[in-house]
Structure formats: C-alpha cells, structure tokens
C-alpha cells in the first residue's frame, strides 16, 4: 500500500468506512457522531471522490444549525448507544432550549472553517446550487459569531470552552483554564470514555476534564445564551486560529457571494476588520507570532502554539508580520510539518494530543497559506512531510514528530480527506 496510488485508495477506503449515510464520523471508535470542523475538512477530500457526498456532508451539518445561527460542534447520532461517547446528549440537553433542531447537539461551536471549505469544494465540483443553498446559512453562522461572541468588545469572536478551539488541551489555554474551578467531585458524576480507545498519556488529564465539565455546566446553566458570558462564565478566550479561519472564511464568502449573486463587499470589510483586530489584540512581536488573549484577566498567556501561525492565511497582514510568522514557522521551534506546540517549550510533549504532536488539519491550513503567499518551497516541505507521515504510519489522528509514529485514533477521517487534497494538488497544481 505504499506510493501515491496506494495512499489514494487507502484514504478513500477510510472515508467510505466512516461514512454513515449522510456524513462522515471522524473515527468509528473515538468519535462516533458528526463534528463540525471535521466535516468541513472531510468535505474538501470528498470533493475529489464524490461531489454529492461532499455536498451532503456540509448540508447535513447545517441542518443542525440553531435558530440563532450557531453551528453546533457535535451533532449526535440518535442510533449510537448511550455512553459510547462522553459527554453525550444527556449532558448537553439541547432539546430543552428553544430554537434548537430536532436532533440533539452540543451548545458549543468550532472554528468557522466552513466558508473556506465550501469554496474549495465548489472549485472542485463546480456545483452552484450547492453554494446557493449553503450561503445564507454560512452568513447566519458568521453573524452569530460577530453579534454574540464578541465578548471582549474588540471585534474578535471569543471561545467559551477549549473544545471550541478544536485544539482542546493546547497550552494556549493553560493560563485561562487555571482560573476555572476544578472540583474533583465534578468527575465523580461522570465517566470518561476516551480512555477506552486511547492511552491516558496521549489524552487530556482528569484535571482538564474536570474543568471542561465545569465549563459545560456553566454554559448549560445559562441556557447557552451568550448575554452573560462576560460576567458569569469562567472561560472567555480569543484564539488566533479561530479568528484567522473566521477572516479567511469571510474572504471565501466574498468569492461565494460573486457566484450566487450577492454583494461581496460586506464580507471583504469584515475580513479586513477581523485582520485589524487580530493584529491589535493578539499579535505578540516578542513571541514572533499571535498568542491567545484571556479576556477575563485581560492578559495573554504567551504560549507559542501552532494556532499563532495560522493568521498566515490572511492576505491583509503587514509584510513584516508575515515575514516574522514565516521565520517562526520555519524555525526549530516548529519544524515542517509544524508541531502543535513549540518544541523548545518546557511542557512540550510529543505524544500528548495538542501539546506537541503533528496534526494534519492545521498543517493543511498552513500549506494552503504558504501556497497563497507564493512560498512554494516551504509549502512543498509541509506537503511531502505530511504525505510521508501517513504513508509510513497510516491515517492516524496525530503523529509523534520525532519517530513519525501515529497516535490517537487510526483511520481518522480528516487525515485521510486532506491527504486526498494534498495528492490531488500533486497531480494538478494550483
Ligand atoms: C471534543 C473530533 C474532535 C476534533 C477536535 C479534537 C477532538 C473532541 C474530544 O476530536 O475533540 O470535541 O473528545 O477530544 O480535539 O479538534 O474536532 O475529531
């Protein structure tokens, strides 16, 4: 199964095996429901295999959109037995909230990469009807983020749980999370399921899970309304990746607007405003990248994580900022493909989830950013590095940067889907 043909067939097979009729589960074992940003990445790969499935992947996700515009981070499959994933629908109780879909969901969101993904899908499939149907839903999601989540008042969308970042136990949240009460009794009411599928030393700790559940209970107690977030909720953070993909998706919406006959200018203006706000609030010249802001404390933890490099996606960055980010990315701190955390930092852990390993999705974003910036040589290093990881280890969830071994879930959907996109680019460079 080595070589490009074997990789293509194997990746297609992973996506076929994880397809459940209307979307793709990230993993049959660890993640048996639909996840928001996973589906966006998966659709990009599916577009190369089967346009109808690519469209369905995103359409299914947006069928679970709430009346306020939020796109939930997990859409639960009612056929999956209770207890197979924790925390399941019985913890979130979304059905009790007015304006929620008939299907059970979480009340959180994930990085809004969907506009960006929808444009890439369209460029591959050429189906205008798909964009016509999706565009108003994408607009509603962005409106939710702009109007409900600018808790800090500076023009960026805040996350209210580490799960919303998609980079769950990243050191970027350590400082803000330390202020969340970790009542040991919280976890006595629950049972983790992830440890049945992955070793404890590669997953978040019990202390982190206790805080994750405290935050779920806090947001649920507010009925997932955002009005009181700034006062009552113990975790409010501005993440560079979340806002970089938000701005990149606004730019994609400008392109989509041209296709569907809407006005592109408001999207361009919002992308420019988000870029300005990112620069003003999260750029950290001393760190050589962007870092997360703890809105409640008004301070930045300063951890150098891969999230801080993703504003490279934005064409509106001043040249000197772009150069600084490129230098950080190419430095020994990250390497190519990039680790999720600074290799030189004391807490770097090459096998623990988002605290060190290499992940395919963030590197795929960096690869796209490098291509768009004309940084062909660096882009090729990311691409060939990712392809060699999956060729040697398989379609794992994350990879040890030192040995190249695969960890977390095997047959992980976005690793397979984005590999298809990387392989397709080799055949037909753009
Ligand atoms: C919680 C599904 C998701 C990804 C996230 C990743 C992980 C979930 C978990 O799996 O998070 O959302 O249970 O650990 O961190 O990025 O979307 O693949």
């Amino acid at each position: 199964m080595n070589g490009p043909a074997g990789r293509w067939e194997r990746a297609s097979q992973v996506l076929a095996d994880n397809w459940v009729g209307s979307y793709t589960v990230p993993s049959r074992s660890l993640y048996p429901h639909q996840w928001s940003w996973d589906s966006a990445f998966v659709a990009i790969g599916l577009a190369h295999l089967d346009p109808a499935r690519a469209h369905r992947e995103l359409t299914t996700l947006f069928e679970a959109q709430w009346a306020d515009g939020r796109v939930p981070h997990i859409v639960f499959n009612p056929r999956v037995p209770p207890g197979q994933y924790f925390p399941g629908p019985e913890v979130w109780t979304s059905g009790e909230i007015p304006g929620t879909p008939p299907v059970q969901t979480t009340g959180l969101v994930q990085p809004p990469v969907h506009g960006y993904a929808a444009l890439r899908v369209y460029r591959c499939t050429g189906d205008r009807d798909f964009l016509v149907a999706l565009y108003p839903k994408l607009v509603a999601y962005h409106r939710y983020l702009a109007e409900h989540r600018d808790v800090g008042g500076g023009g960026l969308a805040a996350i209210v749980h580490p799960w919303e970042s998609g980079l769950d136990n990243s050191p970027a949240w350590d400082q803000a999370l330390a202020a969340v009460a970790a009542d040991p009794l919280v976890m006595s009411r629950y049972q983790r399921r992830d440890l049945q599928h992955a070793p404890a030393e590669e997953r978040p700790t019990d202390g982190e899970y206790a805080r994750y559940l405290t935050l779920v209970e806090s947001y649920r107690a507010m009925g997932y309304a955002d009005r009181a977030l700034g006062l009552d909720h113990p975790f409010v953070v501005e993440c560079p990746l979340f806002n970089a993909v938000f701005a990149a998706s606004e730019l994609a919406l400008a392109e989509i607007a041209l296709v569907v006959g809407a006005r592109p200018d408001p999207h361009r203006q919002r992308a420019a405003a988000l870029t300005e706000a990112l620069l003003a609030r999260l750029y950290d010249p001393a760190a050589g990248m962007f870092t997360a802001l703890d809105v409640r404390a008004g301070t930045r933890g300063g951890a150098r994580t891969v999230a801080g490099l993703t504003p490279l996606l934005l064409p509106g960055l001043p040249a000197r900022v772009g150069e600084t980010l490129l230098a950080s990315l190419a430095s020994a701190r990250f390497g190519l493909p990039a680790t999720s955390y600074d290799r030189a930092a004391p807490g770097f852990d090459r096998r623990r989830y988002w605290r060190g390993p290499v992940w395919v999705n963030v590197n795929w974003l960096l690869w796209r950013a490098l291509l768009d910036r004309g940084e062909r040589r660096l882009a090729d290093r990311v691409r060939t590095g990712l392809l060699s990881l999956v060729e040697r280890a398989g379609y794992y969830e994350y990879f040890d940067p030192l040995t190249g071994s695969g960890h977390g879930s095997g047959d992980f959907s976005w690793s397979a889907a984005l590999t298809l996109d990387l392989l397709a680019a080799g055949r037909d460079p753009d």
Side-chain angles (χ1 to χ4, degrees):
M1 270 298 171
N2 284 336
R7 282 183 305 218
W8 184 274
E9 280 155 26
R10 182 76 196 102
S12 309
Q13 192 58 48
V14 168
L15 294 180
D17 291 346
N18 291 347
W19 176 253
V20 294
S22 55
Y23 64 88
T24 311
V25 292
S27 147
R28 286 273 174 188
S29 54
L30 257 181
Y31 310 115
H33 302 285
Q34 183 171 31
W35 259 261
S36 171
W37 79 328
D38 296 63
S39 279
F41 291 121
V42 165
I44 290 165
L46 286 178
H48 297 289
L49 295 179
D50 181 344
R53 250 166 82 203
H55 299 154
R56 187 76 197 276
E57 182 82 36
L58 285 171
T59 304
T60 302
L61 177 69
F62 278 82
E63 280 167 5
Q65 187 166 31
W66 290 24
D68 65 10
R70 92 183 70 193
V71 177
H73 115 277
I74 305 175
V75 184
F76 292 108
N77 180 347
R79 291 185 298 279
V80 169
Q84 205 167 311
Y85 177 79
F86 171 79
E90 66 289 347
V91 174
W92 299 91
T93 60
S94 67
E96 295 171 10
I97 309 295
T100 55
V103 67
Q104 299 280 314
T105 74
T106 68
L108 303 177
V109 295
Q110 269 189 325
V113 71
H114 311 79
Y116 190 79
L119 180 62
R120 295 220 63 79
V121 168
Y122 169 74
R123 286 194 177 144
C124 202
T125 68
D127 188 327
R128 182 176 173 276
D129 291 347
F130 158 70
L131 284 187
V132 169
L134 200 59
Y135 174 72
K137 298 174 185 213
L138 291 164
V139 169
Y141 182 31
H142 286 201
R143 189 181 305 122
Y144 166 76
L145 294 175
E147 292 180 1
H148 293 247
R149 289 302 193 88
D150 182 8
V151 185
L156 296 180
I159 57 169
V160 300
H161 194 296
W163 286 333
E164 294 203 305
S165 71
L167 319 179
D168 309 355
N169 69 342
S170 170
W173 328 128
D174 285 359
Q175 181 192 285
L177 207 56
V180 177
D183 178 357
L185 286 177
V186 171
M187 287 311 288
S188 67
R189 297 200 292 277
Y190 300 114
Q191 196 189 348
R192 289 178 67 172
R193 296 288 170 177
D194 56 320
L195 300 181
Q196 293 171 350
H197 303 287
E201 62 275 16
E202 295 178 15
R203 294 283 305 177
T205 62
D206 282 347
E208 282 160 344
Y209 257 81
R211 291 181 165 95
Y212 295 163
L213 265 296
T214 298
L215 291 173
V216 171
E217 292 181 350
S218 163
Y219 199 29
R220 187 184 61 200
M222 297 175 182
Y224 305 113
D226 299 307
R227 284 181 305 278
L229 279 174
L231 297 172
D232 294 340
H233 191 65
F235 182 93
V236 180
V237 170
E238 291 174 1
C239 164
L241 183 149
F242 195 101
N243 285 285
V245 301
F246 188 10
S249 279
E250 279 290 356
L251 288 173
L253 286 197
E255 302 286 314
I256 293 173
L258 289 171
V259 177
V260 305
R263 287 178 52 225
D265 290 354
H267 299 300
R268 292 194 188 120
Q269 282 155 12
R270 278 196 289 273
L274 281 163
T275 304
E276 283 307 309
L278 267 161
L279 285 161
R281 292 172 75 79
L282 307 190
Y283 185 54
D284 186 343
M289 63 182 61
F290 291 74
T291 55
L293 173 72
D294 177 347
V295 173
R296 288 173 58 86
T299 54
R300 288 210 297 249
R304 291 183 178 94
T305 73
V306 71
L309 300 171
T310 55
L312 275 170
L313 284 163
L314 305 178
L317 289 187
R320 77 187 147 71
V321 176
E323 281 155 23
T324 303
L325 294 183
L326 287 174
S328 296
L329 172 60
S331 77
R333 289 187 187 280
F334 287 92
L336 296 172
T339 48
S340 44
Y341 188 32
D342 176 1
R343 296 172 196 233
F348 174 80
D349 184 339
R350 60 196 168 90
R351 296 217 171 151
R352 197 184 282 278
Y353 217 36
W354 292 99
R355 302 181 81 86
V358 169
W359 288 72
V360 172
N361 66 332
V362 277
N363 275 287
W364 181 88
L365 288 170
L366 292 171
W367 171 69
R368 288 285 349 147
L370 291 168
L371 284 181
D372 289 346
R373 291 182 165 268
E375 295 289 341
R376 191 90 219 181
R377 205 177 47 79
L378 292 179
D380 284 347
R381 280 175 59 197
V382 174
R383 178 175 176 275
T384 53
L386 289 176
L387 290 177
S388 115
L389 282 173
V390 298
E391 187 173 327
R392 283 167 49 205
Y395 293 105
Y396 272 88
E397 189 180 3
Y398 43 92
F399 300 85
D400 180 327
L402 201 67
T403 65
S405 54
H407 297 275
S409 172
D411 293 342
F412 187 67
S413 292
W414 81 39
S415 298
L418 296 173
T419 295
L420 290 176
D421 196 58
L422 294 169
L423 290 171
R427 294 197 302 227
D428 179 19
D430 63 346

